[in-house]
């Protein structure tokens, strides 16, 4: 029997090559780029059949300016390598979240294997797992954006390592997000929130990019904005249905919802299930800034930074600035006035064009007469006009301050404020003059504290913070006029030596933070007259302090107390 033809032999099934890792892809692209970049190639130049061709439309010049196709190919390979390196970063960034998911699943399975397992514990762990899954899911479209934004930018440039976090301008992000599923997903999640949850989310807009924000700060701020309290309708509903409506408005529940929807991500973890800090992805932040601007929640400049020179919102930011400041003696013009000042010369030109010749002649005669008037008279008129403008703007500023609801110090290092303006904030609910950063990255100091006397006018203030401000050795007696104050944050006021006895008048106070006030020696007995005080941090025990631990036994609602002992015989 003849042997079978090899061509007709049944071939073994082809084995698919093993999949490449991202590291291998980057390595191979890098090798290709190196090989091609060492090559030399001169493109063929067009023959000059017509001697006059060089003079027509600058053809030879345009030909010389055309890029070498070899260089273009090298740049494209470089772009591919850069894109896959971003995926490599994505691969690294996801390793820890995936480990967390594995731990979550492991815990749930272990709990389910136990007899008589607690359903509450299982449900809590399932909620944690779902939150972590959402965190990973939310990263997928963001990383897709990171690897596909404006491909054409990279093909013709050598600067291919620019990260997505530096590309975004909050007011020019439409081109990036148009026809993207990510924008639709974000809008759907945002529209699902009720009004107060939306306002809580918009608070993140004033913080710089990639910063960590403490839950403690958010809780105090939202309480000051009355975003965590129940409405009358909700209280009635709670009484009827016996539902836990209040829990819906707790800071933990709100932040859990934000994490679940991918708006923020937890950063610092105190225990297995409790996070203490959060941050927002730069892309999310861009969208939130635009929403905050649209809702007039805060005002921002074209680069997306909070702005302090405006009259369009009931919330004001203190920011580091070199020009006009809200609190300087030179009153800055409003935005509308500034626009009018620009338009005035143009309007005057138009009027001049429309005037008849006789009127122009009269005006010219009048101008000639003016030349001979005393210079002092001119100066007086100019001075009077300037004073009138200043008075007008001052009145507008005072009127605005009277309706102000929130004043938040974002980046001002020396918040010395004018007393006459400070006292005008009659309806303010949140006054945050101190440092908000988790660590002492920014030195803050005031030279004079007289402006704090204006506190006596702020009867509606709920949250007041001077955290981290040096130069305040004593608080004024006007502090006792803050009858509605709930939270007083004096943390890290390093020069603070004593509290005024008027602190005992703050009957609605629930939180008082005196921690890291290393010079604090005197605390009055009146502190024990605060029936609603729940948290007292940094209470001082010293020979000079009249208030002792025995006095604190009157604080029946106190649930948290930290003390600083300065007596050796304690």
């Amino acid at each position: 029997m003849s042997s079978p033809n090899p061509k007709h032999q049944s071939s073994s099934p082809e084995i698919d090559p093993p999949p490449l890792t991202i590291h291998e892809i980057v390595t191979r692209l890098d090798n290709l780029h190196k090989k091609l970049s060492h090559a030399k190639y001169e493109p063929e130049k067009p023959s000059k059949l017509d001697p006059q061709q060089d003079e027509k439309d600058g053809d030879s010049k345009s030909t010389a300016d055309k890029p070498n196709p070899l260089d273009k190919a090298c740049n494209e390979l470089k772009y591919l390598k850069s894109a896959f390196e971003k995926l490599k970063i994505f691969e690294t960034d996801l390793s820890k979240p995936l480990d967390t998911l594995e731990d979550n699943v492991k815990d749930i399975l272990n709990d389910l294997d136990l007899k008589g397992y607690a359903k509450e514990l299982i449900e809590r762990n399932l909620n944690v797992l779902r939150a972590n899954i959402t965190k990973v899911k939310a990263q997928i479209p963001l990383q897709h954006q990171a690897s596909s934004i404006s491909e054409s930018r990279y093909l013709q440039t050598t600067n291919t390592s620019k990260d997505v976090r530096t590309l975004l301008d909050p007011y020019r992000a439409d081109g990036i997000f148009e026809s993207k599923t990510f924008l639709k997903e974000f809008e759907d999640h945002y529209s699902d929130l009720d009004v107060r949850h939306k306002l809580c989310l918009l608070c993140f807009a004033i913080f710089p990019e990639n910063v960590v924000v403490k839950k403690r700060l958010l809780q105090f701020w939202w309480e000051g904005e009355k975003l965590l309290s129940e409405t009358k309708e909700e209280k009635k509903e709670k009484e009827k249905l016996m539902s836990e409506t209040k829990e819906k408005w707790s800071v933990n529940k709100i932040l859990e919802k934000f994490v679940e929807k991918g708006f923020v991500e937890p950063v610092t973890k105190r225990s297995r299930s409790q996070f203490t800090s959060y941050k927002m992805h730069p892309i999310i932040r861009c969208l939130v800034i635009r929403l905050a601007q649209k809702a007039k929640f805060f005002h921002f400049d074209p680069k997306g930074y909070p702005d302090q020179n405006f009259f369009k919102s009931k919330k004001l930011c203190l920011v580091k600035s070199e020009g006009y400041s809200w609190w300087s003696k030179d009153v800055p013009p409003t935005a509308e006035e500034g626009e009018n000042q620009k338009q005035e010369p143009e309007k005057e030109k138009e009027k001049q064009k429309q005037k008849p010749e006789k009127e122009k002649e009269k005006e010219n005669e009048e101008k000639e007469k003016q030349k001979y008037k005393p210079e002092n008279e001119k100066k007086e008129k100019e001075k009077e006009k300037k004073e009138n403008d200043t008075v007008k703007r001052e009145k507008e500023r005072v009127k605005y301050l009277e309706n102000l609801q929130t004043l938040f110090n974002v980046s001002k290092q020396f918040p010395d404020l004018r007393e006459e303006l400070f006292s005008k904030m009659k309806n303010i609910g949140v006054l945050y003059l101190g440092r908000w950063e988790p660590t002492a990255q920014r030195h803050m100091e005031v030279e004079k504290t007289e402006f704090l006397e204006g506190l006596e006018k702020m009867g509606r203030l709920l949250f007041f913070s001077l955290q981290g401000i040096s130069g305040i050795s004593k608080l004024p007696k006007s502090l006792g006029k803050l009858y509605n104050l709930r939270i007083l944050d004096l943390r890290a006021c390093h020069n603070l030596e004593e509290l005024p006895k008027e602190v005992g008048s703050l009957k609605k106070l629930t939180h008082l933070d005196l921690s890291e006030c290393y010079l604090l020696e005197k605390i009055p007995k009146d502190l024990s007259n605060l029936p609603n005080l729940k948290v007292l941090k940094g209470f001082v025990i010293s020979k000079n302090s009249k208030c002792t631990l025995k006095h604190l036994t009157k604080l029946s609602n106190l649930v948290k107390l930290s003390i600083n002992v300065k007596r050796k015989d304690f």
Side-chain angles (χ1 to χ4, degrees), residues 411-463:
S411 57
K412 198 170 183 66
Q413 202 170 358
F414 304 101
D416 294 284
L417 308 179
R418 287 173 59 191
E419 185 181 348
E420 61 270 28
L421 290 178
F422 188 76
S423 61
K424 302 298 180 185
M425 298 187 288
K426 300 175 183 178
N427 294 299
I428 196 161
V430 175
L431 182 57
Y432 202 101
L433 299 180
R435 185 179 62 234
W436 57 265
E437 294 90 342
T439 55
Q441 299 171 344
R442 178 167 49 116
H443 174 73
M444 299 187 66
E445 188 174 345
V446 291
E447 187 177 347
K448 297 178 181 179
T449 59
E450 284 80 3
F451 70 92
L452 291 175
E453 295 290 345
L455 290 172
E456 65 179 356
K457 304 288 185 181
M458 302 180 190
R460 296 188 178 184
L461 190 63
L462 300 177
F463 174 30

Side-chain angles (χ1 to χ4, degrees), residues 18-31:
L20 292 173
T21 64
I22 295 175
H23 176 72
E24 289 171 336
I25 294 171
V26 171
T27 303
R28 289 176 68 172
L29 287 170
D30 187 45
N31 289 334

Side-chain angles (χ1 to χ4, degrees), residues 225-282:
E225 298 276 3
K226 296 183 179 179
L227 297 174
L228 300 181
S229 56
E230 297 170 295
T231 61
K232 292 180 180 179
E233 291 77 11
E234 286 164 350
K235 286 180 180 178
K236 288 178 182 177
E237 183 185 352
K238 183 178 177 181
E239 290 172 3
K240 287 180 182 178
L241 304 175
M242 297 300 290
S243 61
E244 295 182 359
T245 314
K246 191 171 183 179
E247 185 140 345
K248 178 183 176 183
W249 302 109
S250 72
V251 66
N252 288 329
K253 285 290 179 182
I254 294 173
L255 288 169
E256 279 176 20
K257 180 175 279 193
F258 288 171
V259 171
E260 183 184 338
K261 291 183 177 293
F263 294 137
V264 298
E265 54 184 283
V267 179
T268 309
K269 199 172 185 180
R270 179 182 294 167
S271 62
R272 183 175 173 182
S273 60
Q274 189 177 18
F275 290 95
T276 60
S277 310
Y278 295 81
K279 70 176 182 179
M280 182 174 279
H281 191 282

